[in-house]
Amino acid sequence: MEAYLQKVYDQQNLTREEMRDVATAIFAGELTQAQMAAFLMALKIKGETIEEMQAIAETMQGVAMQLPMDGANTMDNCGTGGDKSMSFNVSTTSAFVLAAAGIKVAKHGNRSISSRSGSADVCQELGIDISLQASDMVYLLENAGIAFLFAPHVHPNMKYVMGVRRELNTPTIFNLIGPLTNPVQLETQLMGIYRRDLLEQTATVLGKLGRKRAVVVNGGGFTDEASLAGENHYALLENGEVTLHTFTPEDVGMESRDLEAIKGGDAKRNAEILLSVLKAEPGAYYDTVVLNAGLGLLAHGKVATLEAGLAMAKQLIDSGTAYAKLTKLLECQKERLVG
């Protein structure tokens, strides 16, 4: 182990097997906090490779809570965080739109990292239980078509790194691989990432982890989601190949919006924003969700073009179908837990 750590300190890449050994030690609690911090920062400075990202993601999935279900027609749309945009909960809101399209959404998420309210925070405010048992999550996915998977709950071994991550207060490889480690063996995925330079690499890793189709996006203003604040860049994984694409809001018939227009607040405020979007109140929040849900529909293969995805997302919100998904989730949760 010391040789592996020294290799990273010397700015040398680890092989997939070496990274798996280090990750196994991390999730077994065998590294000291000082070793962990030094390793994460050395890895960040060196730059994370495809093999390193794949190995740590696979190891993390191997020690995660196991959800006994087939991942067919199931996707996630969580992002890395780390963009410090302080935006509202875009991916959480968009998840209900994707579920309304008939896609099972295993929404991976955490508490606040780069905003005042993380996915878990806003879900709790809405009355969504974030600490369900595996069988309950599977029940919700099968019956409501959507479930929230709280990262610390489904990845209990992350307890060994949470303190270091908090004290470092900077994005590390765990931000990058968090969205890669959904316990469900997903077929498709939309993943927002705060680093534009890693789009192609991350899409390649998703393919190695079994995704049949995926989109990895970095938005205008370098957000970890598609945005209306400029040129969006994304990598599309399809048929084992990765291609790079760009578009502006104007390219897809949408109005540009400043990032300031989609700032969120605390969990209560962000829950209000989420509900306003699902109730089809026009504005920057609504438009941003349409954009991201449309991109999610493209990532899943539900539509062939982004423009078609935007039209479908708009229809799902305006018709009340997306809001009904939230209601259905809460009803199924109550049925399951109360009986």
Side-chain angles (χ1 to χ4, degrees):
M1 186 57 57
E2 288 183 7
Y4 295 161
L5 297 178
Q6 188 61 52
K7 192 173 179 180
V8 178
Y9 301 158
D10 292 338
Q11 302 298 287
Q12 297 178 41
N13 297 332
L14 295 179
T15 66
R16 186 177 169 196
E17 291 72 24
E18 289 171 340
M19 187 60 167
R20 188 179 287 120
D21 287 344
V22 175
T24 298
I26 287 173
F27 296 127
E30 294 174 357
L31 298 189
T32 67
Q33 297 292 286
Q35 285 176 316
M36 191 102 62
F39 173 75
L40 292 176
M41 292 310 298
L43 196 64
K44 179 185 176 81
I45 294 167
K46 175 185 73 65
E48 305 84 351
T49 66
I50 289 173
E51 290 76 16
E52 290 165 347
M53 289 175 67
Q54 180 185 356
I56 195 169
E58 288 173 335
T59 306
M60 189 168 166
Q61 283 183 310
V63 296
M65 175 188 289
Q66 299 302 302
L67 272 64
M69 66 171 288
D70 184 350
N73 191 41
T74 307
M75 76 177 296
D76 187 10
N77 72 325
C78 99
T80 59
D83 65 9
K84 301 187 185 302
S85 68
M86 304 298 288
S87 62
F88 75 108
N89 299 102
V90 179
S91 65
T92 305
T93 312
S94 302
F96 292 103
V97 185
L98 295 172
I103 303 166
K104 291 179 185 176
V105 181
K107 179 67 179 76
H108 208 205
N110 209 334
R111 295 200 182 277
S112 173
I113 295 175
S114 58
S115 62
R116 289 179 60 193
S117 170
S119 186
D121 304 304
V122 77
C123 281
Q124 282 191 303
E125 186 66 29
L126 293 166
I128 297 169
D129 195 324
I130 66 171
S131 58
L132 297 173
Q133 297 303 308
S135 59
D136 298 324
M137 295 180 203
V138 173
Y139 176 86
L140 293 179
L141 281 166
E142 297 295 344
N143 292 275
I146 184 171
F148 183 79
L149 282 57
F150 181 41
H153 182 56
V154 298
H155 296 291
N157 294 55
M158 278 295 289
K159 65 186 178 184
Y160 296 114
V161 301
M162 291 309 295
V164 167
R165 291 184 70 194
R166 194 176 300 112
E167 289 184 13
L168 289 176
N169 195 30
T170 186
T172 67
I173 193 171
F174 285 109
N175 292 79
L176 299 175
I177 61 99
L180 306 176
T181 60
N182 196 303
V184 178
Q185 291 302 310
L186 307 172
E187 282 193 342
T188 60
Q189 188 162 351
L190 170 65
M191 176 177 166
I193 187 169
Y194 68 96
R195 283 182 57 181
R196 189 168 292 178
D197 61 309
L198 290 181
L199 289 174
E200 185 173 8
Q201 177 172 317
T202 304
T204 300
V205 175
L206 283 170
K208 289 181 178 294
L209 293 172
R211 308 299 189 268
K212 295 179 180 178
R213 186 178 169 94
V215 166
V216 183
V217 63
N218 177 265
F222 294 90
T223 56
D224 74 322
E225 59 218 2
S227 89
L228 298 166
E231 189 172 61
N232 293 270
H233 293 243
Y234 72 91
L236 171 65
L237 168 70
E238 184 178 28
N239 300 321
E241 299 293 327
V242 176
T243 54
L244 297 176
H245 307 264
T246 62
F247 70 90
T248 65
E250 291 78 11
D251 289 337
V252 292
M254 300 189 78
E255 178 186 346
S256 289
R257 301 273 193 170
D258 191 275
L259 288 179
E260 190 70 27
I262 61 165
K263 280 202 171 179
D266 59 15
K268 183 175 186 299
R269 173 56 184 151
N270 282 10
E272 292 170 350
I273 294 170
L274 182 151
L275 292 172
S276 76
V277 171
L278 296 185
K279 291 177 180 178
E281 293 183 18
Y285 299 128
Y286 172 95
D287 290 347
T288 300
V289 170
V290 166
L291 180 61
N292 280 272
L295 194 59
L297 294 167
L298 178 67
H300 185 72
K302 197 80 174 178
V303 295
T305 67
L306 178 54
E307 289 83 354
L310 300 179
M312 180 180 284
K314 192 173 188 305
Q315 187 276 327
L316 290 168
I317 298 173
D318 293 351
S319 65
T321 311
Y323 183 80
K325 267 297 166 187
L326 170 58
T327 302
K328 180 69 172 176
L329 172 59
L330 293 173
E331 288 175 351
C332 286
Q333 177 181 284
K334 185 176 180 181
E335 290 169 4
R336 181 68 175 179
L337 299 182
V338 178

